[in-house]
Amino acid sequence: MFDLFKLPKLYWYWFTLIVLQPFYIRYFKLKAVGLENVPRKGPFLMVANHSHLLDPFFIGALIKRPVFQMASNEFFRKPLVRRFMWAMGAFPRKKGFVDFKSIKHAIKIVKMGYPLIIYPEGGRNWDGETLPILKSTAKLVKLLNVPLITVVSKGNYLAYPRWANRRRKSQITIYYSKPVQFSKDTPDEVIIDHIQRGIYNNDNYTEIKKIRGKNPAEGLPRLLWRCPECRKIDALKEIDGKYVVCQYCGAKWEVNLRCFMRREGENEWRAIKEYADMMFREEEIIPINPAVEVKLENGEKVFLESKEVILYHEPYYPKLERVGKGKLLMTDRRLIFKCDENSKIYSYPFEKIRGRSTELNNVFQIILDDDIGRFVMNEESPYKWEIIYDYIRKKGGYRTEEE
């Protein structure tokens, strides 16, 4: 595989910028505000919120000069996409922990005089509200020591919620702030606060004139992994593309393209985000008796059991190798996978997990020293696993590098 950390010649970038940019802007209904704030020459660091799968292309498409982007290494797994991403100035970053190789490359790019774009939430948010900024972002800002521009996209979540199976057609407006520069003596908290305020958006309440699309409820159980009424896990089922109904208590909601929903028989529409905020309650995370039989350590308790998932590992990047189908358990000390195809037990103690990430909208992934555990979840929500995993791990005193 060619070196993804070698700078491209940018011929393809200029071709795309000149020939395809006008079509791209019209097709995705992109609008820029504050482009005059973006320097025409010299390096700068741009930080942006991330709700749409294609945010990296949107932000760069409106800037009339080549920019480099630190993007999820998930984009680089397929050969043709990998070549395209690299030619367009993107380079991979492993999510879930501090990727020093990517940081070194970012520093090199800026020192050569090029602009750089990063997404300091660490991933694409699920509910349209900007996530907390990774603490390591402040250190990178001070290391680069160049003008900082905050960018906030509005309408990007409504155009393609992470939990959805398909995108919708609606306007996306991207706001570019005036550049500021922080000294190396600036406290990290000041930089983080500036970025958080600069890129914050809650897209659930963004005013959009028109949204076109189909099946607004499709995929919603990935976000709403509990019934808001009876509190059963994995209870909601999508019906006819417009409704979600609880398989246990029968509660039913209608869903619209603006990411609002209303209970059957009621007139009030509420943002889906309001229901998403109801999913996690600490008092509901209690030990369970799993159906899968595995040998536990003395005093070890199981808190979550999966439906059928498929485990992959990564012998080397970007190759993925299938291990097999089975069930995943989460205890207060580790993750345990029992493979039905080879009858083996795979144990992942929390202290050996460097970080975790959620890829696409159906993959829960853990990062190890020299491998990954990639659990493809087609029958349940990886977002549920992300939230409960973070809670159990922190309660046990475990921390990742990015924390």
Side-chain angles (χ1 to χ4, degrees):
M1 188 181 76
F2 68 94
D3 186 4
L4 291 170
F5 292 93
K6 179 182 178 181
L7 265 64
K9 297 294 185 182
L10 298 178
Y11 300 137
W12 176 251
Y13 196 114
W14 280 113
F15 171 80
T16 303
L17 204 62
I18 296 169
V19 178
L20 301 181
Q21 185 194 49
F23 166 79
Y24 193 80
I25 291 173
R26 284 197 302 271
Y27 183 77
F28 288 104
K29 301 182 183 297
L30 304 180
K31 178 184 176 182
V33 176
L35 263 183
E36 68 277 5
N37 295 323
V38 180
R40 294 185 178 182
K41 59 177 67 174
F44 58 80
L45 175 64
M46 195 171 275
V47 293
N49 65 321
H50 192 14
S51 292
H52 195 294
L53 181 66
L54 300 178
D55 280 333
F57 296 100
F58 296 160
I59 294 170
L62 294 167
I63 302 172
K64 298 188 180 345
R65 59 176 293 196
V67 293
F68 285 81
Q69 306 207 37
M70 187 185 291
S72 168
N73 66 342
E74 195 66 22
F75 282 114
F76 297 83
R77 290 198 180 278
K78 295 182 178 180
L80 290 178
V81 178
R82 181 163 64 240
R83 282 276 184 180
F84 176 78
M85 292 288 290
W86 174 78
M88 292 299 293
F91 59 96
R93 169 193 176 268
K94 294 180 181 179
K95 293 192 292 185
F97 70 103
V98 179
D99 189 342
F100 290 105
K101 185 174 183 179
S102 293
I103 292 173
K104 288 179 180 178
H105 190 63
I107 294 171
K108 176 184 175 182
I109 286 169
V110 170
K111 283 185 175 179
M112 293 178 67
Y114 292 107
L116 174 68
I117 302 176
I118 64 170
Y119 301 87
E121 295 169 86
R124 184 180 170 198
N125 63 62
W126 280 86
D127 59 12
E129 184 174 21
T130 304
L131 297 168
I133 305 304
L134 296 176
K135 295 178 181 178
S136 57
T137 306
K139 294 180 174 59
L140 180 62
V141 170
K142 291 194 280 190
L143 268 174
L144 297 180
N145 194 29
V146 292
L148 174 70
I149 299 173
T150 57
V151 178
V152 59
S153 298
K154 296 188 177 184
N156 52 348
Y157 167 75
L158 296 176
Y160 197 172
R162 182 168 186 173
W163 46 264
N165 290 347
R166 65 185 76 192
R167 72 178 190 90
R168 298 98 187 263
K169 291 186 178 181
S170 67
Q171 182 170 294
I172 298 173
T173 305
I174 303 174
Y175 298 81
Y176 300 83
S177 74
K178 293 182 179 180
V180 298
Q181 189 153 358
F182 293 98
S183 70
K184 293 185 178 181
D185 298 327
T186 306
D188 289 1
E189 296 77 14
V190 172
I191 298 174
I192 293 295
D193 182 65
H194 173 83
I195 294 173
Q196 189 78 60
R197 286 186 287 107
I199 72 170
Y200 178 80
N201 181 43
N202 188 340
D203 226 19
N204 294 274
Y205 307 103
T206 299
E207 292 291 333
I208 300 290
K209 290 183 179 180
K210 187 176 182 181
I211 302 176
R212 296 168 57 195
K214 297 179 180 180
N215 302 330
E218 196 174 63
L220 185 54
R222 294 189 183 106
L223 176 66
L224 304 184
W225 47 271
R226 274 191 192 273
C227 172
E229 294 293 325
C230 70
R231 308 300 298 168
K232 293 284 189 180
I233 287 183
D234 299 326
L236 296 186
K237 183 180 180 181
E238 173 256 321
I239 302 289
D240 298 329
K242 292 177 58 180
Y243 306 93
V244 287
V245 62
C246 178
Q247 301 173 79
Y248 295 92
C249 71
K252 186 177 182 181
W253 291 264
E254 182 182 0
V255 184
N256 66 24
L257 288 169
R258 296 184 180 275
C259 291
F260 272 64
M261 53 195 279
R262 65 178 174 184
R263 179 75 186 270
E264 187 178 44
E266 297 180 359
N267 294 322
E268 182 186 7
W269 288 89
R270 296 173 61 187
I272 290 173
K273 163 71 175 169
E274 295 180 31
Y275 290 97
D277 288 342
M278 298 166 56
M279 294 296 100
F280 175 81
R281 291 178 183 170
E282 185 175 359
E283 65 272 16
E284 293 179 332
I285 309 302
I286 57 176
I288 63 170
N289 294 315
V292 174
E293 292 185 7
V294 295
K295 186 176 181 180
L296 300 176
E297 299 172 353
N298 187 33
E300 187 176 15
K301 299 175 181 178
V302 177
F303 285 86
L304 197 59
E305 179 181 15
S306 76
K307 298 180 181 179
E308 186 177 78
V309 302
I310 304 174
L311 172 62
Y312 291 81
H313 84 109
E314 186 181 75
Y316 59 88
Y317 179 77
K319 179 179 174 60
L320 291 172
E321 194 171 83
R322 190 179 185 276
V323 177
K325 293 181 180 179
K327 298 288 183 68
L328 180 65
L329 300 179
M330 184 189 303
T331 79
D332 53 352
R333 304 176 190 178
R334 55 181 170 153
L335 295 173
I336 304 170
F337 179 74
K338 184 175 183 180
C339 184
D340 295 334
E341 296 179 11
N342 61 18
S343 300
K344 290 184 178 180
I345 302 292
Y346 298 82
S347 177
Y348 304 96
F350 287 159
E351 63 267 19
K352 293 187 178 180
I353 299 175
R354 297 182 65 183
R356 66 104 186 112
S357 65
T358 308
E359 305 298 338
L360 306 174
N361 59 17
N362 68 334
V363 175
F364 177 71
Q365 185 167 282
I366 56 173
I367 296 90
L368 310 170
D369 279 335
D370 54 2
D371 203 346
I372 64 172
R374 184 182 178 91
F375 303 96
V376 178
M377 300 179 168
N378 294 321
E379 299 179 21
E380 62 188 300
S381 168
Y383 183 49
K384 169 191 68 181
W385 280 82
E386 172 187 320
I387 290 175
I388 298 178
Y389 171 83
D390 286 351
Y391 169 75
I392 295 293
R393 192 193 68 239
K394 289 178 181 179
K395 187 177 180 181
Y398 300 96
R399 292 289 185 271
T400 65
E401 295 174 21
E402 287 193 336
E403 295 174 306

